[in-house]
Amino acid sequence: MTLRLLFEEIRSNIQKISNDLGYPTVEFDISEASKPEFGDVSCNIGFLLAKPLKKRPSEISESVANEYQKHKGEFVSKITVHPSGYLNFVANYETLARSVMQSSTEQNYGQFNVGNNTKIVVEHTSVNPNKALHIGHVRNIIIGDTVARILHKACYDVQVLNYVDDSGLQVADIIVGFKYGGFAKEPLQNQKFDHYCGDVVYVSITERYEKEPSLAEKRAIVLKELEEGSSEMAKFGDEITRRVLEEQLKTCWRLGVTYDCLNFESQIVRSRLWTTVLEKMKSMGIIYLENEGKNVGCWVIKSDSEVEEDKILIRSNGIATYIAKDIPYATWKLGILEDPFYYKHYAMQKNDRILWETTLENTGTKLNFTGDTVITVIDSRQSRLQKIITKIISDFKSKGKQYTHLGYESVTLSSDTAKTLNLETGGKSVQMSGRKGLYVNADYVLDILGVKTYEEAKKRNPELDEVTLVKIAEQVAVGALRYSMIKQDLDKIITFDMAESLSLEGDTGPYIQYAHARSMRILEKAGKTPDFNVSFDNLNTEHERNLVKTIGKFDMHVEDSAKNLSPKMIARYCYDLAVSFNSFYEHIKVLTAESPEMINARLCLVWSFKETLVKALSLLGIDAPARM
RNA sequence: GGGCCUGUAGCUCAGCUUGGACAGAGUGCUGGACUUCUAAUCCAGUGGUCAAGGGAUCGAAGCCCUUCGGGCCCGCCA
């Protein structure tokens, strides 16, 4: 097992001692010591009892320590009291090392049961299928994918959805471009179709609306025809959006992201879901038909507060608004209503994960992609709308169902990067805009990163063949991008700078991957599998102990990360693990250690590290190449 | 006007949920370490009134209040 055992042992012993001494019950903390010289684990019980017992914290800690000395347990070797009042513990490293290292070789090491196999749905990506994915979408995708991976590790039964908004205005725009704007259906050269639609057709056509009112009129007509499912226009729209989607998904797969099911908005609109939900909301009195005032003739959600406006769900012309389309989808995700869809196979993804799509045609296949908890990953500019949806869902009072909006701040472009897109911002960063062509495509970033990582890998490993080098370069490029999107807090804006994103040193994905490559090299050169059935008494330098401890913390970080829906905690852990290893690597020789026993023990440690890092990195969707 | 987020080293950020021991990284800058398991590395130095003020507490970067700065959202757009 892991460091968790050490913590739990100390906790239960102190609880018992405190009871035996007749102390009042307090919620004391067992935490990692803040500095190595204090030991490994600290307890603050002295501070908490100081007031009720009218004694100095150190005095109380002293009494507890005296009792503790009598039966130290399996994992503690030393107890000390710091003058400040803290009660500090030093681990029994031999026991700890054996315990940690043996469990680290298990297949499911790091797993921790938070979810109890509860069904949970994560929806992310959900990009309009009229353009390529840009760096802002990547943050959404990587957060969603990482959270899904972590929840899976924390024993949730996870399904991942991607909502395809194929019936909106943005789609109409590119259709106008093809039908009336004079754009050829095929891009020139080898341009990806999604890049063509977004970078060329979409940007130009929105620019032309201003000068050509006739085009803008066409848009309204196209939009209307798109919503009528059987029209020629709808068929054409379907063909185009599917081609864009296909290209978008290639980018997602390139990033190591996979899904379980694609939901098409057009189908939700045409299905009976919408009318059912509408009736339900009407009958429950959640929405009202406005008889007077500026919203006359609209179905609205009444606002609770004075200052907030009522929210219109159905316009006076009978057409639903943007937010209205999200409500039936939310109920579908939670499985509140009967599922109107059939399912068909869309694609086979890596690791044999099948990607399904919804369909209204009777394929005979019924599947279930719903969950008791739904997590919708959307940037926090949508917080207001998401709050309304959450409220409506909770009004439905379906037992045990929970709708959660996982928000995050947006990605902006640095002033320098904006300048390369011909926008002078005067040193300020700027919000991206698909409409204005102000964005950096994900594929482009990966390509540029790939060139750099390829050159590096080739320089370091001239003997490797081309195919291997290209693969390593791509893995490192993806690692760099994914890590940069996840290491920061969700509430912090990421200012994307092209030049800066090419720096691969320090707190980056490649730094962590490099630690793995180093460990692999040692194991490779050792030429044998280490024997774990030995004593690890000899691993007694600070570097070795520190590495053992860090390895042993994996499951605690999985638990925290899952409970807080905080992917950065795992990023942080991967970095800490790599730092521990690199420090070990620089100071401790493995293959040239003084005795065969020492070599074996250190090889075990390297092996444990490697196994743990690979598992932790896989939660971030980052591959760990053996060479780089 | 209302709501959400944010302010910690020159720059980018951890730490804040759950208050406690001298406030940590990366980057930058200065210097050092490759005939050695890959230097995408390591080691040392440099660098901070934790935006400001007040409050409760034995104790605040953290909790509460006020103020100031920055971002975002408040449409019969999506």
Side-chain angles (χ1 to χ4, degrees):
Chain A
M1 268 293 273
T2 65
L3 271 208
R4 187 184 292 277
L5 282 188
L6 171 65
F7 278 57
E8 282 171 0
E9 181 185 282
I10 293 173
R11 176 177 294 281
S12 76
N13 282 345
I14 291 184
Q15 189 65 66
K16 186 169 178 299
I17 289 166
S18 172
N19 290 344
D20 290 351
L21 290 173
Y23 292 162
T25 306
V26 284
E27 292 279 319
F28 58 87
D29 260 350
I30 303 295
S31 57
E32 205 188 343
S34 60
K35 303 271 168 163
E37 57 263 38
F38 297 142
D40 299 300
V41 178
S42 300
C43 177
N44 67 345
I45 191 164
F47 297 105
L48 302 175
L49 288 173
K51 201 167 193 183
L53 296 180
K54 295 202 169 68
K55 287 179 179 175
R56 277 181 292 116
S58 56
E59 214 174 318
I60 295 157
S61 289
E62 204 70 62
S63 311
V64 176
N66 283 339
E67 285 303 307
Y68 209 117
Q69 299 287 2
K70 293 177 188 164
H71 30 69
K72 281 192 289 221
E74 202 186 346
F75 290 100
V76 172
S77 72
K78 197 175 153 202
I79 303 136
T80 55
V81 175
H82 191 271
S84 64
Y86 270 105
L87 192 53
N88 290 324
F89 299 85
V90 175
N92 178 338
Y93 292 108
E94 211 279 324
T95 323
L96 190 69
R98 195 175 35 212
S99 160
V100 165
M101 285 165 64
Q102 254 153 23
S103 39
S104 71
T105 61
E106 288 162 16
Q107 191 66 39
N108 61 355
Y109 182 61
Q111 186 176 89
F112 187 77
N113 187 0
V114 180
N116 229 342
N117 225 30
T118 324
K119 294 190 70 181
I120 195 163
V121 166
V122 178
E123 181 218 324
H124 64 81
T125 306
S126 306
V127 179
N128 282 309
N130 73 323
K131 56 173 167 288
L133 304 175
H134 62 55
I135 197 75
H137 300 128
V138 172
R139 188 173 193 186
N140 179 296
I141 295 167
I142 300 308
I143 289 169
D145 184 61
T146 308
V147 164
R149 288 164 185 264
I150 292 167
L151 289 174
H152 177 72
K153 187 78 173 175
C155 302
Y156 283 92
D157 178 5
V158 186
Q159 301 277 8
V160 180
L161 307 178
N162 180 359
Y163 183 68
V164 184
D165 180 1
D166 58 347
S167 66
L169 207 58
Q170 296 202 15
V171 168
D173 286 334
I174 60 165
I175 303 302
V176 168
F178 287 121
K179 287 282 185 189
Y180 308 103
F183 286 98
K185 219 174 111 186
E186 298 302 325
L188 295 172
Q189 294 134 8
N190 302 323
Q191 192 174 29
K192 264 183 96 198
F193 191 67
D194 54 342
H195 292 176
Y196 174 58
C197 288
D199 303 352
V200 180
V201 182
Y202 184 51
V203 170
S204 325
I205 212 76
T206 48
E207 206 179 286
R208 274 165 60 183
Y209 281 144
E210 300 209 359
K211 284 171 272 173
E212 301 174 45
S214 62
L215 268 186
E217 282 166 28
K218 293 287 187 207
R219 175 164 72 163
I221 298 165
V222 168
L223 187 60
K224 189 154 180 288
E225 285 190 44
L226 282 180
E227 295 205 343
E228 288 157 15
S230 53
S231 69
E232 272 305 307
M233 194 65 83
K235 275 204 193 107
F236 182 71
D238 198 52
E239 183 197 333
I240 296 292
T241 51
R242 280 180 175 266
R243 278 185 68 188
V244 174
L245 174 65
E246 197 183 322
E247 295 300 324
Q248 288 180 341
L249 286 172
K250 280 183 193 163
T251 309
C252 298
W253 292 335
R254 190 178 176 192
L255 286 164
V257 176
T258 50
Y259 307 85
D260 295 299
C261 188
L262 300 170
N263 298 93
F264 293 86
E265 178 171 275
S266 58
Q267 293 170 12
I268 289 183
V269 171
R270 288 166 210 159
S271 78
R272 60 179 181 275
L273 262 185
W274 171 237
T275 43
T276 315
V277 171
L278 192 63
E279 287 312 315
K280 188 170 166 124
M281 287 193 291
K282 283 178 188 172
S283 67
M284 290 179 72
I286 294 171
I287 64 171
Y288 306 86
L289 181 60
E290 192 64 75
N291 292 317
E292 54 185 10
K294 59 175 186 170
N295 294 335
V296 63
C298 299
W299 285 88
V300 302
I301 303 167
K302 288 283 186 198
S303 163
D304 298 336
S305 82
E306 298 276 317
V307 287
E308 201 135 331
E309 301 268 322
D310 294 347
K311 200 77 209 166
I312 294 167
L313 283 196
I314 300 177
R315 303 181 179 98
S316 52
N317 65 6
I319 296 174
T321 58
Y322 168 71
I323 179 178
K325 292 178 184 172
D326 257 14
I327 298 168
Y329 183 42
T331 63
W332 178 87
K333 286 190 282 189
L334 285 161
I336 292 174
L337 299 171
E338 196 197 338
D339 183 8
F341 299 117
Y342 291 92
Y343 295 87
K344 73 186 179 187
H345 185 282
Y346 180 89
M348 180 60 85
Q349 305 167 109
K350 69 170 193 183
N351 301 332
D352 292 334
R353 187 174 187 175
I354 298 172
L355 176 56
W356 296 90
E357 63 171 306
T358 56
T359 174
L360 290 167
E361 295 159 31
N362 186 343
T363 58
T365 307
K366 275 287 190 185
L367 295 167
N368 186 344
F369 293 103
T370 67
D372 300 325
T373 301
V374 164
I375 294 172
T376 305
V377 183
I378 316 185
D379 76 79
S380 41
R381 285 174 297 192
Q382 304 266 6
S383 293
R384 183 173 285 252
L385 292 180
Q386 286 296 311
K387 211 172 140 191
I388 294 170
I389 293 169
T390 308
K391 171 80 166 49
I392 292 172
I393 295 297
S394 75
D395 285 347
F396 283 175
K397 294 190 174 61
S398 297
K399 230 182 177 172
K401 302 285 183 184
Q402 197 195 335
Y403 184 90
T404 304
H405 169 218
L406 183 61
Y408 60 92
E409 282 292 338
S410 50
V411 180
T412 62
L413 295 179
S414 75
S415 171
D416 287 347
T417 300
K419 208 175 284 178
T420 65
L421 300 167
N422 297 319
L423 186 83
E424 188 55 60
T425 65
K428 286 189 175 177
S429 59
V430 62
Q431 288 281 334
M432 280 186 280
S433 161
R435 201 169 283 275
K436 293 177 193 156
L438 200 57
Y439 52 82
V440 180
N441 280 333
D443 286 319
Y444 175 73
V445 175
L446 283 175
D447 289 346
I448 300 283
L449 270 170
V451 169
K452 174 152 185 187
T453 52
Y454 173 86
E455 283 164 1
E456 282 292 327
K458 183 160 187 165
K459 195 167 75 196
R460 290 152 198 273
N461 304 279
E463 76 286 4
L464 290 180
D465 64 85
E466 197 62 15
V467 176
T468 310
L469 284 172
V470 168
K471 188 176 175 199
I472 291 170
E474 180 77 359
Q475 287 175 324
V476 177
V478 168
L481 182 57
R482 286 195 67 131
Y483 189 78
S484 72
M485 286 290 142
I486 214 74
K487 73 166 179 173
Q488 206 145 330
D489 196 274
L490 299 181
D491 286 332
K492 291 258 167 57
I493 293 170
I494 292 180
T495 303
F496 180 80
D497 183 84
M498 195 62 224
E500 205 177 294
S501 75
L502 289 174
S503 125
L504 307 175
E505 286 162 17
D507 187 6
T508 64
Y511 171 91
I512 299 165
Q513 290 170 310
Y514 184 65
H516 173 263
R518 284 177 138 183
S519 69
M520 284 301 284
R521 196 66 163 159
I522 294 175
L523 294 170
E524 190 186 302
K525 290 210 167 169
K528 56 174 182 190
T529 311
D531 176 10
F532 273 77
N533 200 14
V534 294
S535 157
F536 294 112
D537 237 351
N538 48 3
L539 298 179
N540 53 20
T541 65
E542 58 160 312
H543 299 105
E544 290 160 314
R545 289 176 172 181
N546 193 24
L547 186 52
V548 167
K549 273 166 65 184
T550 312
I551 291 169
K553 284 185 240 170
F554 189 19
D555 66 327
M556 297 200 287
H557 289 281
V558 169
E559 180 188 4
D560 272 358
S561 177
K563 283 182 175 167
N564 293 303
L565 293 180
S566 176
K568 75 164 179 211
M569 289 181 176
I570 297 298
R572 199 94 222 135
Y573 176 65
C574 287
Y575 178 67
D576 288 344
L577 201 50
V579 168
S580 288
F581 178 77
N582 275 329
S583 178
F584 162 84
Y585 183 94
E586 295 283 344
H587 296 97
I588 308 292
K589 291 295 155 216
V590 177
L591 299 178
T592 52
E594 59 271 25
S595 69
E597 290 76 28
M598 191 53 111
I599 292 177
N600 181 69
R602 287 181 179 163
L603 277 176
C604 286
L605 182 53
V606 173
W607 182 281
S608 283
F609 160 76
K610 184 258 302 178
E611 287 289 311
T612 306
L613 185 66
V614 166
K615 290 181 178 84
L617 276 177
S618 82
L619 296 182
L620 303 182
I622 296 176
D623 287 333
R627 301 280 292 272
M628 62 183 278

